[in-house]
Structure formats: C-alpha cells, structure tokens
Amino acid sequence: MQKKWWKEGVAYQIYVRSFKDSNGDGIGDLRGIIEKLDYIKSLGVDMIYLNPINKSPNEDNGYDISDFEDIMIEFGDLEDFDELLSGIHQRNMRLIMDMVINHSSDEHPWFIEAIKSKENKYRDYYIWSKGKDNKPPNNWGSFFGGSAWELDENTGEYYLHIFSKKQPDLNWTNKELRQDMKNMLKYWVGKGVDGFRMDAINHLAKDMRFPDGEVKDGALYGDFIPYVQNLPEVHDYLKELKRDVFTDSHVVIGETGGINYENAHVYTGVDNKELDFTFHFDLHSVGKGENPWERVDIDLIKDIKEKMTGWATRDEKEGWCPVFYSNHDTTRTVSRLGDDKKYHKLSAKMLATLQLTHKGTPFIYYGDEIGMTNADDFKLEDYRDASIFTRYSEFVLSGIVSHENYIKGLNLTSRDNSRTPMQWNAKENAGFTDSNPWIKVNSNYQEVNVEKQEKDCDSILNFYKKLIALRKEELTLVYGTFEEIDKENPSIYAYLRILEDKKILIVCNFFGRDAQLMLSEEAFLSNFKLEVCNYENGEDNLQIVNEKIINLRPYESRVYISER
Ligand code: GLC
Ligand code: CA
C-alpha cells in the first residue's frame, strides 16, 4: 500500500468559534488556537483540521463566505493566520483548511454585483430561474428548511440556495468562476496549507432543467437530492482542481453526503485523481428514533459494525477513509454512541480504543478527548444554529410538532450539542473566555475539563494520549489488514489487524452489560500480550470462560499485541 503522511497521522478537528477566546469577546479565535498549540501537540496528533476561518457574516458560522482570501474578523487577520500556520509547522504538525466552494455568502461582492442586473458580469456566477406564475421554478426544499429558491426583487428572478437563502449556490458550469476558485485555492496552497476539506463538494453540479422532486409522506417540499447531489459533472470539476491546484503532497478530503463505503470509490479510487478520502454521514444518526425526540437502541451489527468494517475492508484501489464519530454537524460522541451518565469514562475510553485501532485516519473532534457530552438541558433561547429557527416556524408554529417535543428533539439531535465551548478548566465559562460565550458552556464543565484530566492518570484524556502514541508506534494499526472476529456478536466489536508477522487483537464491548466473545483460532489469547485496557489492572482481571470464550464487563475494551 502506498505510504502517505495523512494515512499515518492522527487528526484533531477544531471548531474555531468554540475552542479558545483570546481577546474577551466570547468568540474563539486564531490567537486562542496559537495559545493552545502545545496542548494540541501534547495529545500526540499530527494534523489540525479547522472549520472555516474565512471572512463571513456568520449566517452559518463561516460556511457562508464573503471573502475567500481573508480571515473572519472575529477570528483575527492574515498575520494571525501566518503565525498559526508557522506555529503548527514548527511543531511538526500539518494544517487542513475547510473550503466552502459550493456556495458563497449573499454578502460576497460577486453576489452583490450579480443582483445589480441580469447583464452584470457576475450574474452567471450564480444559478437563476424566472420561476413560474410568480412562484419558484420547482418544489425543491432546502437542507435548512423552506424553499431552495429565493426571489431577487430587483431583477425579478429566483436564485438557488440548497442551504440557507444567505448561501446562494455558485454556478460551476461557468469557466471564469472555476478559474477564480482555482486561483483562490492556489493562494492558500502558496501559504503552505497542507490539505483541504471540501465542504458539500458532491453538490457542485445541479440538474439545470430543475425538475420537480418527489414529495414524500405529505412533506411540504419535494426531494431535490437526485438533482443536486453526485451528478456526473462533479467528477470533471474535482479532476480539474486536482490537476491544476493540488500536488501529491496535499491531502484533499471531500464532504460527500449520500456516499457510502460501497460507492465512495467513484471519488476516492486511486486512479481517479479526485479525492483522497471522504467524510460520510454513517454514524451521524445512530440511535435516532423515527422522530428526533425519540431514541432507539443501537443495533451494533447494523449501525456500527457493518459500516465501519465496510470502510475498513475496501479494496486498496478504492482509496482511503477517515475514522470518526463526530464533527460540528453531529451530536457528542459519548452521548450518542456511549453512555454519558453511568459509564461516562468507560464508554468514552472504549470508543477511543475502537477509533484509534481501526483502519483509516482518525479524526478526533475537539473535546471528545475529555469526553464532552451533549448539552441536554438547553432551552430554545440557548441554541444558535440558524436552521433551528427556520424549522421552528416550519414545524412548531404551524402546529405539526409540539414545542416540548421540538426541544427534546434538539437536546438529543441538534448539532449545537457539539459546538459548545471547549472545557479547559473549572473556572467561570470553563476557561474558554472571560466574557459571555457566544453559545452557553455545557453545565458539566466543573466535572469534565482538561485541567482536571491532565492531573488524573486514569482520565479519558490520558487514555487518548496512550492510544495515539500506540497508533504512531505500530504501523500495523495503519497499514495492517482488518479481519473481524465473531462477526455476528451483537454486543462486542472484535477484530485483528495484521501486517507481516505482527498481529494486534482488539475487543470492545459496546454496551453497559456483560457480554461474551468467541475467539477465533488466530486470536487465542495465549499468543498475545495485553497492551491497553480501559479497566484498571486489566491484566489480572480478564474473565476467561474457557480457552475460546472470554467475558467482557460493561464497555470493557482491550488491545493485545502478538509477541514478535
Ligand atoms: C456542510 C457543513 C455544514 C454546513 C453546510 C453548508 O454540510 O459541514 O456545517 O452547514 O455544509 O455549508
Ligand atoms: Ca475572540
């Protein structure tokens, strides 16, 4: 397998707004990250992925860019950026930037020009339609609620926005637009950025005939996915970017909804020259019931094992993958996939074990290394995600959902759960800021914080550090094959990683009850030495039923290595 820095490294994702405020305005910023670079380095990670930092009016927290070559005012300026980048490089880490090129802000100069007249040079940088009988051209509903079309009163035409109306979609069929985008990407490449996460990238092409979407189960709008996602022209645009902008030393990652381990090769196939790997949505909704305010039990085989194993066992030629549970669009890992109450520490450590020994590049979402949890006591006014309020009118004010259920749903599934400030210490506002944070701090910060866990050798934080160090030492965890054991086991995820004569055995009990595992012949424990266990004195405490069967306690996880 081809060796690459981005396969061997471990990544750390930072939601800049919520990481560290350096100047007391309640908003995280670049200088805040600079202050914390030694902390990040102390985790043992090799690359930092930052959510968007470009200039933006913040309708969607930076995913609505008004200047692609400048920094968001609240985050700092280009000098801060240069200092941050060199601080990262000095510490032998790398930087991955988020690039939002599917749409811009409606406050971008291109859009401001575009709405001046139909003849304006920038008109065609966006996607327009006259509409029908004073109505939008079709029934497409946007991802953030409401119609995907907005009327521009001045010119009397509708523009397309698959996200909010302040995020008009760019027209990638326009060659000049593509050239401007390539120049912009080259500008960041020229500064020394090591990789890019391309936002909503499989939406670059749209079906410009704008057919109506299918209306499912009495929905207000039609399903537009078949007409705005994974269209063939996306491949041409990605190949063009790879050819004209990026080199082999960059990592190019795409966010690709609707793509799974069976079809991701269309973008990541090593001969395609499009993307190195993709972020999927496989684990985003695990445990979510039919309604957002309901939870269902996790089906380990279907929800987790089939998917994670599916990614890990793809043919080499199909490309690489990340291993991640959470990001800024999900809920908190331990709340969704573990037990954030009774087994907080054990389940967070079990999940860390799985993530850092699986096949693919681990992306640790900020705060997961201390087991940050959902903000499950937030009220409507505590939320900040704009889409929550659009949907509130669509569902609650129109009487479809009760206020109580809506809030319960947000507590369980809102992406604001994973955007609360980093919990640095037990002081006011968790040491994130000296003033009012832009979004409330999770009320458990006195219990769950970095300072406390740094001092406690049994903490989640120190467990992460140990596993990250192990992954860096054992290339078997990077390039080794992946073989599942006792596949049908409904409670335990167990597998072997094998490279040449080295074998690593990993066993993880996914639930808060005892469970038994049937070992395969290659996994008989007599050939292995225990390396990591999330229970104290793991060596002495293994419950052996007989030579083939072991019993794991609630959320117990173990990593064994074969003797050389
Ligand atoms: C992606 C981002 C998400 C954002 C959307 C629109 O899905 O991850 O946070 O809201 O794109 O840019
Ligand atoms: Ca600030």
Side-chain angles (χ1 to χ4, degrees):
M1 180 174 290
Q2 211 187 12
K3 297 202 160 177
K4 290 280 185 189
W5 62 267
W6 42 264
K7 293 182 182 171
E8 294 175 21
V10 174
Y12 187 70
Q13 180 183 346
I14 297 181
Y15 198 64
V16 183
R17 242 185 143 62
S18 300
F19 196 60
K20 179 74 180 102
D21 172 22
S22 72
N23 62 349
D25 64 356
I27 298 173
D29 46 53
L30 300 188
R31 302 213 72 81
I33 302 176
I34 295 173
E35 278 174 31
K36 294 295 181 185
L37 280 178
D38 288 332
Y39 167 76
I40 300 167
K41 180 70 188 172
S42 78
L43 299 173
V45 301
D46 310 85
M47 42 188 143
I48 298 179
Y49 152 40
L50 296 182
N51 284 109
I53 56 169
N54 301 109
K55 198 163 190 177
S56 161
N58 276 309
E59 162 74 5
D60 188 22
N61 290 356
Y63 284 94
D64 48 320
I65 293 173
S66 55
D67 186 342
F68 288 99
E69 294 187 11
D70 205 349
I71 302 293
M72 193 184 301
I73 294 169
E74 298 95 316
F75 287 180
D77 57 24
L78 284 163
E79 256 175 56
D80 297 328
F81 175 82
D82 292 340
E83 194 179 322
L84 172 63
L85 183 59
S86 74
I88 290 174
H89 285 163
Q90 269 160 24
R91 288 169 180 79
N92 277 324
M93 295 189 286
R94 288 185 162 96
L95 177 67
I96 299 173
M97 272 179 92
D98 213 328
M99 279 294 148
V100 191
I101 59 176
N102 172 71
H103 43 271
S104 75
S105 163
D106 65 344
E107 296 179 36
H108 192 288
W110 294 338
F111 192 76
I112 294 174
E113 283 299 308
I115 54 176
K116 284 187 178 157
S117 79
K118 289 184 196 162
E119 289 71 45
N120 191 283
K121 167 166 184 259
Y122 292 100
R123 182 74 173 179
D124 191 49
Y125 271 36
Y126 296 88
I127 301 172
W128 297 94
S129 170
K130 279 201 270 301
K132 282 187 287 203
D133 315 321
N134 291 327
K135 279 210 254 59
N138 65 22
N139 67 359
W140 295 355
S142 90
F143 284 120
F144 288 173
S147 166
W149 296 96
E150 183 71 13
L151 180 66
D152 168 49
E153 305 267 349
N154 186 38
T155 54
E157 286 188 345
Y158 294 83
Y159 63 88
L160 180 70
H161 62 87
I162 66 172
F163 295 95
S164 102
K165 64 178 179 201
K166 286 187 65 67
Q167 293 166 299
D169 281 71
L170 289 160
N171 175 12
W172 273 75
T173 65
N174 183 307
K175 211 165 158 210
E176 276 103 55
L177 176 270
R178 293 208 301 279
Q179 192 52 48
D180 278 350
M181 279 301 181
K182 288 194 283 187
N183 292 345
M184 175 281 281
L185 289 166
K186 281 185 193 158
Y187 166 82
W188 293 106
V189 164
K191 283 193 169 283
V193 172
D194 305 288
F196 299 89
R197 179 262 190 198
M198 313 295 274
D199 184 65
I201 200 68
N202 54 338
H203 292 108
L204 291 189
K206 321 276 168 8
D207 186 334
M208 299 290 210
R209 295 166 301 178
F210 310 137
D212 270 333
E214 189 191 335
V215 181
K216 291 177 188 152
D217 306 327
L220 288 176
Y221 295 97
D223 175 19
F224 68 163
I225 296 288
Y227 312 109
V228 302
Q229 195 177 72
N230 298 321
L231 299 192
E233 294 79 12
V234 176
H235 300 289
D236 304 334
Y237 305 144
L238 288 175
K239 286 198 170 81
E240 186 177 334
L241 294 179
K242 188 86 174 177
R243 185 192 67 213
D244 297 351
V245 180
F246 306 120
T247 69
D248 262 359
S249 66
H250 297 112
V251 63
V252 187
I253 313 164
E255 184 209 26
T256 53
I259 285 292
N260 56 43
Y261 63 85
E262 283 165 328
N263 57 14
H265 59 89
V266 302
Y267 293 115
T268 62
V270 292
D271 300 326
N272 298 12
K273 306 243 176 309
E274 293 184 27
L275 297 170
D276 293 311
F277 54 93
T278 54
F279 281 126
H280 51 78
F281 289 66
D282 282 1
L283 305 181
H284 276 39
S285 315
V286 172
K288 188 167 159 182
E290 218 170 285
N291 292 306
W293 55 90
E294 292 161 356
R295 260 191 84 85
V296 292
D297 290 341
I298 295 177
D299 178 339
L300 179 63
I301 297 178
K302 267 218 172 105
D303 296 342
I304 311 279
K305 291 212 249 185
E306 270 178 23
K307 290 180 177 152
M308 289 184 77
T309 301
W311 284 105
T313 52
R314 290 193 308 162
D315 187 89
E316 248 171 65
K317 282 203 142 320
E318 295 181 28
W320 193 247
C321 67
V323 185
F324 72 109
Y325 303 120
S326 296
N327 62 27
H328 58 290
D329 290 328
T330 60
T331 52
R332 279 283 171 190
T333 300
V334 69
S335 303
R336 179 165 28 99
L337 302 173
D339 175 345
D340 63 5
K341 303 271 175 333
K342 185 165 174 203
Y343 292 111
H344 178 237
K345 203 177 193 177
L346 281 171
S347 65
K349 288 182 178 180
M350 180 279 290
L351 289 161
T353 309
L354 183 68
Q355 182 178 29
L356 288 151
T357 58
H358 219 275
K359 187 161 186 174
T361 304
F363 275 72
I364 298 167
Y365 187 58
Y366 86 96
D368 273 2
E369 77 275 23
I370 53 168
M372 277 175 61
T373 66
N374 280 356
D376 52 16
D377 54 1
F378 267 29
K379 305 195 177 58
L380 188 62
E381 63 269 24
D382 298 325
Y383 288 97
R384 293 291 174 269
D385 182 357
S387 65
I388 288 175
F389 301 95
T390 321
R391 292 222 177 81
Y392 191 82
S393 345
E394 200 170 315
F395 293 103
V396 184
L397 299 183
S398 67
I400 300 174
V401 173
S402 73
H403 175 85
E404 288 67 33
N405 276 342
Y406 192 73
I407 301 300
K408 221 162 143 193
L410 294 178
N411 289 167
L412 280 173
T413 64
S414 160
R415 56 186 189 167
D416 274 350
N417 281 302
S418 66
R419 296 177 176 188
T420 61
M422 179 67 175
Q423 294 163 208
W424 294 105
N425 55 43
K427 298 196 194 108
E428 207 180 349
N429 291 318
F432 162 70
T433 178
D434 334 319
S435 72
N436 282 333
W438 73 276
I439 187 170
K440 236 171 80 168
V441 174
N442 189 309
S443 50
N444 65 9
Y445 70 95
Q446 283 172 332
E447 275 312 302
V448 180
N449 65 63
V450 171
E451 198 176 284
K452 193 168 164 194
Q453 294 199 18
E454 276 182 332
K455 291 187 203 134
D456 169 8
C457 60
D458 185 42
S459 65
I460 300 170
L461 178 61
N462 280 312
F463 195 77
Y464 262 91
K465 288 185 187 173
K466 194 166 166 184
L467 281 163
I468 294 169
L470 177 69
R471 184 172 185 102
K472 309 273 311 275
E473 206 175 287
E474 295 290 352
L475 280 186
T476 305
L477 292 175
V478 179
Y479 296 114
T481 57
F482 182 97
E483 286 172 28
E484 223 183 301
I485 298 167
D486 201 0
K487 235 181 163 157
E488 300 306 320
N489 193 312
S491 309
I492 295 175
Y493 198 0
Y495 46 91
L496 283 165
R497 304 292 316 273
I498 303 174
L499 189 67
E500 290 154 13
D501 54 0
K502 188 89 181 241
K503 270 189 215 165
I504 305 184
L505 167 67
I506 298 100
V507 298
C508 296
N509 180 357
F510 227 83
F511 298 101
R513 50 177 188 262
D514 279 33
Q516 299 195 336
L517 173 74
M518 171 84 90
L519 293 168
S520 67
E521 211 165 307
E522 303 86 63
F524 280 173
L525 291 187
S526 44
N527 302 325
F528 287 91
K529 192 174 141 291
L530 182 69
E531 189 72 28
V532 186
C533 175
N534 63 350
Y535 274 76
E536 261 178 294
N537 304 323
E539 197 91 61
D540 307 332
N541 286 329
L542 176 67
Q543 299 178 349
I544 300 178
V545 179
N546 63 38
E547 69 157 1
K548 285 189 199 155
I549 299 177
I550 56 171
N551 185 70
L552 296 184
R553 289 164 287 176
Y555 291 107
E556 183 161 5
S557 69
R558 291 169 169 267
V559 180
Y560 289 92
I561 303 195
S562 65
E563 303 283 2
R564 270 172 228 264

